[in-house]
């Protein structure tokens, strides 16, 4: 589909389809970010310590790892759209149950349910988009997923701030005799319902339809998107790419039959997924309020700082939209790795100068707080113009058709396991060994990721899905 003339492509319809699919990214971001402003409420309601907070915050990641692993395989059974509809239902159930939870156990169950939806949406939305758009704009349109993730995060930060401000603080009563932090969860039911309804209006992935033997259905979808002539050619290309393997996709396809070893492309996918988390980005997204309060910011100012991080994140993602199909994926990853290594190093240095005052109060001396804030936001920009969107773009497009579902399952599972390891450990690491050492580790991971990209990642700009090798 790379050589299609713009007039042959129904970009208005494709844009509408991408807009609906990426609502899953918005829900991914909102469900991940809403926890940021609720931790004081959770501590008070469930009498949680540092470990307890880590477990309650990290519960979503257990569901996410399972959802990501299962979604790739399930998408080969019930379709990409079917999995996204299931994710929407999970988002809705989680929002209602988390807000109403009367105990830590019920809250954890609710967040695991939400995590199943987050994991599913995180891997299926990008692959769905990559399978319905032309190769020459695939990177740009797939990157919209990350824009929506960050928009969801920022939306959660804004809602959290407004609700806490109206109530007085997150633990104060807001409406119907319930504290503000519970309403932070309940309000996400609205976009979840919109997501489910919107999914009714988009078609199934043509590549899934061909894999299921429904060439006529795939042709009908592609004819609407690309025109009849291109649809016929594309269906033939998809069928040919699947012809070498006369069986349904399965997990064992990840092993190269010639060597008996896991395919190198799978290791590349796992590496991209894991490094995206080892640089510590979700510490900012999940614990931003706690992080800045730990170095002397008030709750209100910490919540405002979250909003600033969200806005600059969106700016970074928009830069990716302009560049990804022009300069490619690999240069952006390398730039991001280098930039994150430097800015995280500066943050680590600033935190190393923290001063402990009377009563255990912590603050950063002089202008070190400003330096830390500027460096942290520069780090967020570097992440969101590179590893944030590009990792998902590449996981959605880099695997050959036969192993795309299985490759996504394994890579997505690895991504969420790494996410859990970083996120659950952070509250305890704030106490010991401290923020300076913790951020030094994230900086080192960013530096190592630079050399990983140079050695393992191949450029996929402009390559059709049927031409992907692995």
């Amino acid at each position: 589909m790379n050589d299609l003339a713009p007039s042959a492509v129904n970009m208005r319809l494709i844009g509408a389809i991408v807009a609906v699919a990426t609502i899953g990214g918005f829900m991914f971001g909102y469900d991940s970010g809403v926890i940021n402003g609720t931790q004081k409420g959770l501590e008070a309601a469930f009498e949680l310590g540092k470990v307890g907070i880590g477990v309650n915050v990290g519960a979503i990641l257990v569901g996410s790892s399972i959802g990501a692993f299962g979604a790739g395989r399930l998408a080969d059974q019930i379709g990409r759209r079917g999995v996204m509809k299931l994710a929407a239902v999970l988002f809705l159930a989680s929002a209602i149950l988390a807000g109403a939870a009367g105990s830590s156990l019920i809250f954890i169950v609710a967040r695991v349910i939400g995590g199943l939806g987050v994991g599913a949406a995180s891997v299926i939305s990008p692959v769905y988009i990559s399978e319905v758009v032309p190769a020459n704009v695939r990177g740009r349109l797939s990157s919209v997923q990350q824009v929506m993730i960050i928009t969801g995060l920022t939306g959660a930060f804004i809602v959290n701030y407004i609700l806490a401000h109206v109530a007085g603080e997150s633990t104060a009563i807001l409406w119907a005799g319930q504290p503000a932090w519970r309403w932070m969860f309940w309000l996400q039911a609205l976009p979840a319902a919109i997501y489910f309804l919107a999914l009714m209006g988009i078609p199934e992935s043509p590549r899934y339809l061909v894999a299921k033997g429904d060439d006529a259905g795939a042709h009908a979808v592609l004819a609407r998107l690309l025109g009849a002539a291109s649809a016929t050619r594309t269906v033939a290309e998809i069928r040919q790419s699947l012809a070498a393997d006369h069986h349904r996709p399965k997990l064992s396809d990840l092993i190269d039959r010639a060597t008996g070893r896991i395919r190198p492309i799978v290791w590349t996918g796992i590496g991209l997924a894991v490094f995206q988390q080892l640089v510590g980005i979700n510490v900012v997204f999940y614990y931003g309020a706690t992080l800045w309060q730990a170095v002397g910011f008030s709750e209100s100012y910490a919540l405002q700082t979250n909003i600033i991080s969200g806005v600059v994140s969106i700016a970074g993602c928009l830069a990716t939209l302009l560049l990804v199909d022009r300069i490619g994926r690999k240069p952006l990853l390398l730039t991001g790795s280098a930039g994150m290594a430097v800015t995280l190093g500066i943050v680590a240095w600033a935190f190393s100068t923290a001063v402990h005052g009377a009563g255990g109060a912590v603050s950063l001396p002089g202008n070190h707080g400003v330096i830390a804030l500027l460096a942290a936001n520069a780090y967020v920009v570097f992440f969101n113009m590179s590893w944030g969107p590009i990792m998902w773009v590449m996981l959605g497009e880099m695997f050959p058709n036969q192993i795309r579902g299985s490759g996504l399952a394994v890579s997505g599972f690895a991504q969420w396991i790494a996410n859990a390891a970083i996120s659950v450990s952070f509250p305890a690491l704030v106490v010991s060994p401290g923020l300076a050492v913790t951020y030094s580790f994230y900086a080192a991971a960013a530096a190592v990721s630079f050399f990983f990209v140079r050695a393992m990642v191949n450029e996929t700009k402009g390559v059709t899905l049927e031409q992907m090798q692995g």
Side-chain angles (χ1 to χ4, degrees), residues 268 271-272 275 279 330 333-341 387 443-458:
T268 300
L272 285 169
F275 273 116
V279 298
K330 191 169 182 175
L333 288 173
L334 291 170
T335 300
S337 293
M340 288 188 297
W387 282 83
V448 173
S449 73
F450 179 91
F451 298 100
F452 169 82
V453 171
R454 287 189 60 183
M456 296 291 291
V457 175
N458 295 320

Side-chain angles (χ1 to χ4, degrees), residues 2-161:
N2 191 34
D3 56 351
L4 293 177
S7 59
V9 179
N10 189 340
M11 289 304 299
R12 181 176 297 179
L13 178 58
I14 289 174
I17 290 171
V18 169
V20 172
T22 54
I23 297 175
F26 179 90
M27 291 307 306
F28 170 2
Y30 197 106
D31 214 7
S32 299
V34 68
I35 196 73
N36 204 310
T38 65
Q39 289 165 39
K40 286 182 67 176
L42 293 173
E43 286 185 54
F46 305 143
E47 299 180 350
L48 301 174
K50 294 298 182 184
V51 174
I53 280 292
V55 171
N56 278 259
V57 171
I60 191 175
L61 306 175
V62 175
S64 297
S65 60
I66 297 171
F69 184 79
R73 299 292 297 119
L74 189 60
D76 288 333
Q77 306 299 319
I78 67 172
R80 282 52 165 154
R81 190 178 70 158
V83 171
M84 289 189 287
K85 288 164 70 174
L86 177 59
V89 172
L90 293 169
F91 286 134
L92 183 60
S94 174
I96 295 171
L97 187 58
S103 69
S104 177
L105 178 60
I106 297 300
F107 181 82
I108 288 171
V109 170
R111 294 295 284 170
V112 169
I113 292 172
L116 293 171
V118 168
S122 71
V123 298
I124 296 305
S125 293
V127 77
Y128 174 83
I129 293 168
S130 73
E131 290 182 345
V132 299
V133 305
N136 61 327
V137 294
R138 190 178 61 232
R140 189 184 318 158
L141 294 180
S142 296
S143 296
V144 174
Q145 167 80 352
Q146 182 69 13
V147 175
M148 291 297 283
I149 292 172
I150 301 303
T151 301
L153 281 161
T154 306
F157 296 158
I158 292 172
V159 168
N160 287 357
Y161 173 74

Side-chain angles (χ1 to χ4, degrees), residues 183-377:
W183 285 100
M184 293 174 185
F185 291 109
W186 283 330
L187 285 184
Q188 76 180 85
L190 179 60
I194 292 172
Y195 181 37
F196 182 83
L197 294 174
L199 286 169
M200 300 297 185
I202 66 173
E204 183 52 82
S205 160
R207 285 171 175 82
Y208 165 75
L209 293 173
V210 172
K212 294 285 287 185
D214 186 5
D215 288 21
H219 188 279
V221 173
L222 289 166
R224 293 178 62 200
L225 299 176
L226 311 176
S230 296
T232 300
R233 185 175 74 249
T234 302
V235 169
E237 290 173 352
I238 297 170
R239 174 59 59 196
Q240 183 179 4
S241 74
L242 296 171
D245 290 282
H246 301 287
H247 63 271
R248 295 170 66 87
K250 55 186 180 181
L251 201 60
S252 61
D253 292 331
L254 300 181
I255 298 175
D256 189 325
R257 295 179 182 177
T259 64
R261 299 179 178 178
I262 295 175
R263 299 178 188 230
I265 193 70
V266 177
W267 289 118
T268 300
I270 291 172
L272 285 169
V274 170
F275 273 116
Q276 194 211 42
Q277 292 304 307
L278 292 184
V279 298
I281 190 63
N282 279 323
V283 166
V284 176
F285 292 155
Y286 296 158
Y287 295 105
T290 301
L291 169 65
W292 294 112
Q293 287 179 77
V295 291
F297 288 32
S298 68
E299 180 187 50
S300 177
Y301 192 65
L303 290 173
Q304 291 179 49
T305 300
N306 284 343
I307 296 173
I308 295 171
S309 295
V311 171
V312 299
S313 294
I314 293 173
C317 292
L318 293 176
T320 303
L321 294 182
L322 298 175
L323 298 173
V324 64
D325 286 319
R326 296 182 180 180
I327 69 174
R329 286 67 160 149
K330 191 169 182 175
L332 287 173
L333 288 173
L334 291 170
T335 300
S337 293
M340 288 188 297
V342 172
T343 51
L344 283 168
I346 294 172
V347 173
W349 167 80
F351 286 156
S352 72
T353 66
V355 175
H356 296 264
V362 179
S363 63
L364 297 178
N367 61 357
H368 292 189
V370 175
I371 293 173
L373 186 59
L374 292 175
N377 280 297

